[in-house]
Structures are given as C-alpha cells and as structure tokens.
Amino acid sequence: MDDKQDRQPPVSASAYCAPYPYPEEDEINLLDLFIVLVKHRLIIVGAVVIAGIASVVISFFMQNIYSSEATISLRPEEKGTSFSLPGSLGGLGAMVAGEFGFGGGGTLEKLEVVLKSRALSARVIEKYDFMPVLFSNKWDAGKKAWIAGGPKDKPPTLQDAIKIIRKNLLKVTRDKKNNTISVISEYPDPEIAKNIVNYYLTELSETLREEVLKDSRDNRYFFNEQIKRTSDALLKEKIYTLLAREIEKETFALAQKYYGFVILDPPVVPDTDQKINPNRALICILSVIAAFFAAIFFSFFLEFFGRIKSEDPERYKAIMEGFSFRKKTRL
C-alpha cells in the first residue's frame, strides 16, 4: 500500500473543542450588567438620594451624647508612727502592723466590683434623687409626681433605674498594666455626665470608709471588753496598744476626702462641641452606601423576574401564586 494513503491530516485542537461549546447566555457579561444598572438608574439614584436625606434628617433629631471620665488608683497605705507594734507584741505586732495599714481600700479588683455593684448604683440614685433625671419624660416637675398613664403604665422602679445606669450611662474599665481604673459616664447633658462620675466616686469612698469605721468600732468594743476582763498588766498594755491603733485608723479614715483611692484625673464638664455620639457624617455615609448596594440588588432582582415573565410565563405565574396570600376558592 501507498504510504500516502495511510497518512491522515493532523486534527486541530479546535476540532476537539467544537462539539462542546460554552453557551453564550451562561457567561457573565460585564456589558449586560452595566446595561441593567443603566436601565434601572432611576431606582438606584432615587434610593441613594432618599437614604441620604433620611439619614440627615434622622441624625439631626438624635440627641448628642457627651462623655466625662475620671481615672483613679489605689491610695498607698500609710503606717502609723505613734506606736511600735512589732516591739511591743512580737510576731503578733508585726502581723497587726501589716494588717492595719492606713488609707488602703483593698485592691483594684475590689474597687471595680464595688463600682459595678447594684448596691452602689442604688445608693447614688436614692441619695442624689436621680429617678426624675433618668425618667424625665415620665416626671411632672411642677407637681413633683409621676405622670399618670394607663393602668399598665406604672411608675419606674429603682431596679429600672439601676438597669439604665449600668447598661447605658456608666462604664468601668480596669487597666492592669498601669494599675488604674477609668470611670466613664455618657449622658446627653454634659453637666450631668460629670456629676454622675463625681457621685459614684464620692459614694465609693463613703462605702469603703463606712466599712472601715464599722470594723474599727467592732474592734474597739471587743478590746474594751477584753480590758475589763483582764487583770494582767502586761496583757492590758498590749490591748491598749491595739485599741489606740483602732482609734488612729478611725481618725485617719475620717480625715481623708476619698478613702482608699486617689483621683489621678478628675472628671470635667465636656465642651458642647465634644460629643461622642452620634457621628452624623458616618451615619450618612453608611446609609448612602447601604442604599446604593440595596438598590443594585433590587435592580437585578427586577431584571431577573422580568426575564422569567417574558421567557417562561408558566414559571412566573407559579412564582406569583406562591407569593399570593389569597385563598383559592373552588366554584
């Protein structure tokens, strides 16, 4: 046989691909997407404009929120110098001297727990008459009474006020690195924001002071009873030393303005242009961006249903019946 008859012409790569062409309608065409956007441009522009105007109007009516902050730290313990406990009581004296340091209110953890406690919030609310301030919309200042509403509209309770303060108005954070605590108040009135921080610091001090004074009174009563029952002169002298120590501790606690801590950075009334919320510019920008993308999605959604309606009426009818809430009645 002739070799020329056995030779076959080479098959091109396109010949293998020819039987399996990709349908053009399944390809994502950027031009088609752009045409859809242009077709529904009024929807997109309208949504952006409406969202921009609405965000400006809504943010304009939002209340300005101001923040006042104070930073506190533990007060260093100050040891009394009137008596030498280690010399008079030996090992017991050294222990008492370390136990009866003056001015210390405990640890930062204790300060943080007390500041966040319900008891301290209740104390502030009741002592400074904060209920009408927190619920000013329900308080009649002229009559000095709660505004009467419906049978279910009851006057706010102390627990309601505590919940509002702990959730929205007061923040307590502890800086472990610097051993400090920040007390932050956020309120629409700058003066009240500062007052809330001051009230909490004052009542924190009073709470710690009352705790020390109560312990001191109990200890003094115990020592006085022991003196009455003791006839040993040396033991009486040691008890008198402890009693004097309690008196010294009580006097020192009463002399301090803030017991247990020092204020490193006191709270101040923020300026009216130093609001922390709302950020009106950010609200407007985010609203416009969200409206823009929502309008684009809605445009493609309309285009999709438009194609189904023209190309597959039966499926379109089935979809519309699925969205219909009307009950079909049989004749």
Side-chain angles (χ1 to χ4, degrees), residues 144-170:
K144 294 185 177 181
W146 297 109
I147 299 174
K152 295 184 179 181
D153 189 11
K154 299 180 181 179
T157 63
L158 178 61
Q159 296 302 320
D160 295 331
I162 293 175
K163 186 181 299 184
I164 289 178
I165 285 186
R166 298 179 67 191
K167 185 176 181 180
N168 300 323
L169 305 185
L170 190 75

Short mmCIF file of all heavy atoms in Angstrom, two decimals, residues 144-170:
data_model
loop_
_atom_site.label_atom_id
_atom_site.label_comp_id
_atom_site.label_asym_id
_atom_site.label_seq_id
_atom_site.Cartn_x
_atom_site.Cartn_y
_atom_site.Cartn_z
N LYS A 144 -44.25 67.51 90.96
CA LYS A 144 -43.30 66.63 91.63
C LYS A 144 -43.90 65.24 91.87
O LYS A 144 -43.88 64.70 92.97
CB LYS A 144 -42.83 67.23 92.96
CG LYS A 144 -42.01 68.50 92.78
CD LYS A 144 -41.45 69.00 94.09
CE LYS A 144 -40.58 70.23 93.87
NZ LYS A 144 -40.00 70.74 95.13
N ALA A 145 -44.43 64.71 90.78
CA ALA A 145 -45.06 63.39 90.83
C ALA A 145 -44.93 62.76 89.46
O ALA A 145 -44.70 63.43 88.44
CB ALA A 145 -46.52 63.50 91.24
N TRP A 146 -45.09 61.44 89.43
CA TRP A 146 -45.03 60.72 88.17
C TRP A 146 -46.30 60.97 87.37
O TRP A 146 -47.39 61.07 87.93
CB TRP A 146 -44.86 59.23 88.41
CG TRP A 146 -43.56 58.89 89.09
CD1 TRP A 146 -43.39 58.46 90.37
CD2 TRP A 146 -42.25 58.98 88.52
NE1 TRP A 146 -42.06 58.28 90.65
CE2 TRP A 146 -41.34 58.58 89.52
CE3 TRP A 146 -41.77 59.34 87.28
CZ2 TRP A 146 -39.97 58.55 89.32
CZ3 TRP A 146 -40.40 59.31 87.06
CH2 TRP A 146 -39.51 58.93 88.06
N ILE A 147 -46.14 61.10 86.07
CA ILE A 147 -47.27 61.35 85.19
C ILE A 147 -48.13 60.10 85.14
O ILE A 147 -47.65 59.01 84.83
CB ILE A 147 -46.79 61.73 83.77
CG1 ILE A 147 -45.97 63.02 83.84
CG2 ILE A 147 -47.98 61.89 82.83
CD1 ILE A 147 -45.34 63.39 82.51
N ALA A 148 -49.43 60.27 85.42
CA ALA A 148 -50.34 59.13 85.44
C ALA A 148 -50.67 58.71 84.02
O ALA A 148 -51.02 59.53 83.18
CB ALA A 148 -51.62 59.49 86.20
N GLY A 149 -50.54 57.43 83.76
CA GLY A 149 -50.85 56.91 82.43
C GLY A 149 -51.96 55.89 82.53
O GLY A 149 -52.88 56.01 83.35
N GLY A 150 -51.88 54.90 81.67
CA GLY A 150 -52.88 53.85 81.67
C GLY A 150 -52.71 52.93 82.86
O GLY A 150 -51.78 53.08 83.68
N PRO A 151 -53.58 51.95 83.01
CA PRO A 151 -53.49 51.02 84.15
C PRO A 151 -52.21 50.20 84.15
O PRO A 151 -51.73 49.79 85.19
CB PRO A 151 -54.73 50.13 83.98
CG PRO A 151 -55.12 50.28 82.53
CD PRO A 151 -54.73 51.67 82.14
N LYS A 152 -51.65 49.98 82.95
CA LYS A 152 -50.42 49.19 82.86
C LYS A 152 -49.17 50.06 82.89
O LYS A 152 -48.06 49.54 82.94
CB LYS A 152 -50.43 48.36 81.57
CG LYS A 152 -51.51 47.29 81.53
CD LYS A 152 -51.40 46.45 80.27
CE LYS A 152 -52.47 45.36 80.23
NZ LYS A 152 -52.36 44.53 79.01
N ASP A 153 -49.36 51.37 82.84
CA ASP A 153 -48.22 52.30 82.83
C ASP A 153 -47.87 52.65 84.27
O ASP A 153 -48.33 53.65 84.83
CB ASP A 153 -48.58 53.54 82.03
CG ASP A 153 -47.36 54.43 81.80
OD1 ASP A 153 -46.23 53.97 82.09
OD2 ASP A 153 -47.52 55.58 81.37
N LYS A 154 -47.03 51.83 84.87
CA LYS A 154 -46.66 52.03 86.27
C LYS A 154 -45.43 52.93 86.37
O LYS A 154 -44.63 53.01 85.44
CB LYS A 154 -46.36 50.68 86.92
CG LYS A 154 -47.56 49.72 86.94
CD LYS A 154 -47.18 48.41 87.60
CE LYS A 154 -48.36 47.44 87.60
NZ LYS A 154 -48.00 46.14 88.23
N PRO A 155 -45.28 53.63 87.49
CA PRO A 155 -44.09 54.47 87.68
C PRO A 155 -42.82 53.61 87.65
O PRO A 155 -42.85 52.44 88.06
CB PRO A 155 -44.30 55.09 89.06
CG PRO A 155 -45.77 54.99 89.30
CD PRO A 155 -46.23 53.76 88.60
N PRO A 156 -41.74 54.14 87.16
CA PRO A 156 -40.49 53.36 87.13
C PRO A 156 -40.01 53.02 88.53
O PRO A 156 -40.24 53.77 89.49
CB PRO A 156 -39.52 54.30 86.40
CG PRO A 156 -40.08 55.67 86.58
CD PRO A 156 -41.56 55.51 86.62
N THR A 157 -39.33 51.91 88.63
CA THR A 157 -38.84 51.46 89.93
C THR A 157 -37.33 51.69 90.03
O THR A 157 -36.66 52.05 89.05
CB THR A 157 -39.12 49.96 90.11
OG1 THR A 157 -38.40 49.21 89.10
CG2 THR A 157 -40.60 49.67 89.97
N LEU A 158 -36.82 51.47 91.22
CA LEU A 158 -35.39 51.61 91.45
C LEU A 158 -34.59 50.63 90.60
O LEU A 158 -33.52 50.96 90.08
CB LEU A 158 -35.08 51.40 92.94
CG LEU A 158 -33.60 51.47 93.35
CD1 LEU A 158 -33.02 52.85 93.05
CD2 LEU A 158 -33.45 51.14 94.83
N GLN A 159 -35.11 49.42 90.42
CA GLN A 159 -34.42 48.43 89.60
C GLN A 159 -34.35 48.86 88.13
O GLN A 159 -33.37 48.60 87.44
CB GLN A 159 -35.12 47.07 89.72
CG GLN A 159 -35.07 46.46 91.11
CD GLN A 159 -33.64 46.27 91.59
OE1 GLN A 159 -32.76 45.87 90.83
NE2 GLN A 159 -33.40 46.56 92.86
N ASP A 160 -35.39 49.54 87.66
CA ASP A 160 -35.36 50.09 86.29
C ASP A 160 -34.25 51.11 86.14
O ASP A 160 -33.53 51.14 85.14
CB ASP A 160 -36.71 50.73 85.94
CG ASP A 160 -37.84 49.72 85.91
OD1 ASP A 160 -37.56 48.54 85.60
OD2 ASP A 160 -38.99 50.11 86.18
N ALA A 161 -34.11 51.97 87.15
CA ALA A 161 -33.06 52.99 87.10
C ALA A 161 -31.67 52.37 87.16
O ALA A 161 -30.76 52.79 86.43
CB ALA A 161 -33.25 53.98 88.27
N ILE A 162 -31.50 51.37 88.00
CA ILE A 162 -30.20 50.68 88.10
C ILE A 162 -29.83 50.05 86.77
O ILE A 162 -28.69 50.12 86.31
CB ILE A 162 -30.23 49.63 89.22
CG1 ILE A 162 -30.37 50.30 90.59
CG2 ILE A 162 -28.98 48.76 89.19
CD1 ILE A 162 -30.54 49.32 91.73
N LYS A 163 -30.81 49.44 86.11
CA LYS A 163 -30.56 48.79 84.82
C LYS A 163 -30.12 49.81 83.77
O LYS A 163 -29.18 49.56 82.99
CB LYS A 163 -31.82 48.06 84.36
CG LYS A 163 -31.63 47.23 83.11
CD LYS A 163 -32.94 46.57 82.69
CE LYS A 163 -33.45 45.63 83.77
NZ LYS A 163 -34.68 44.92 83.34
N ILE A 164 -30.75 50.98 83.75
CA ILE A 164 -30.39 52.01 82.77
C ILE A 164 -28.97 52.52 83.02
O ILE A 164 -28.17 52.66 82.09
CB ILE A 164 -31.40 53.18 82.83
CG1 ILE A 164 -32.74 52.74 82.26
CG2 ILE A 164 -30.88 54.39 82.06
CD1 ILE A 164 -33.81 53.80 82.32
N ILE A 165 -28.63 52.80 84.26
CA ILE A 165 -27.30 53.33 84.57
C ILE A 165 -26.22 52.32 84.24
O ILE A 165 -25.21 52.65 83.59
CB ILE A 165 -27.22 53.74 86.06
CG1 ILE A 165 -27.98 55.04 86.28
CG2 ILE A 165 -25.77 53.90 86.49
CD1 ILE A 165 -27.84 55.61 87.67
N ARG A 166 -26.40 51.08 84.65
CA ARG A 166 -25.36 50.06 84.43
C ARG A 166 -25.21 49.69 82.97
O ARG A 166 -24.12 49.31 82.52
CB ARG A 166 -25.67 48.82 85.27
CG ARG A 166 -25.68 49.09 86.77
CD ARG A 166 -26.02 47.84 87.53
NE ARG A 166 -24.97 46.84 87.42
CZ ARG A 166 -25.10 45.57 87.81
NH1 ARG A 166 -26.24 45.16 88.30
NH2 ARG A 166 -24.10 44.73 87.68
N LYS A 167 -26.30 49.80 82.20
CA LYS A 167 -26.26 49.38 80.81
C LYS A 167 -25.83 50.51 79.87
O LYS A 167 -25.10 50.28 78.91
CB LYS A 167 -27.63 48.86 80.38
CG LYS A 167 -27.67 48.29 78.98
CD LYS A 167 -29.04 47.71 78.66
CE LYS A 167 -29.07 47.12 77.26
NZ LYS A 167 -30.40 46.56 76.92
N ASN A 168 -26.29 51.74 80.14
CA ASN A 168 -26.11 52.81 79.17
C ASN A 168 -25.27 54.00 79.66
O ASN A 168 -24.67 54.68 78.84
CB ASN A 168 -27.49 53.35 78.73
CG ASN A 168 -28.35 52.28 78.10
OD1 ASN A 168 -27.85 51.43 77.38
ND2 ASN A 168 -29.64 52.33 78.36
N LEU A 169 -25.28 54.28 80.94
CA LEU A 169 -24.72 55.55 81.41
C LEU A 169 -23.35 55.44 82.07
O LEU A 169 -22.63 56.45 82.13
CB LEU A 169 -25.69 56.22 82.40
CG LEU A 169 -27.11 56.45 81.90
CD1 LEU A 169 -27.91 57.22 82.94
CD2 LEU A 169 -27.11 57.19 80.57
N LEU A 170 -22.97 54.28 82.57
CA LEU A 170 -21.71 54.18 83.31
C LEU A 170 -20.87 53.02 82.79
O LEU A 170 -21.39 51.91 82.59
CB LEU A 170 -21.99 53.98 84.81
CG LEU A 170 -20.76 54.09 85.71
CD1 LEU A 170 -20.34 55.54 85.86
CD2 LEU A 170 -21.03 53.47 87.08
#
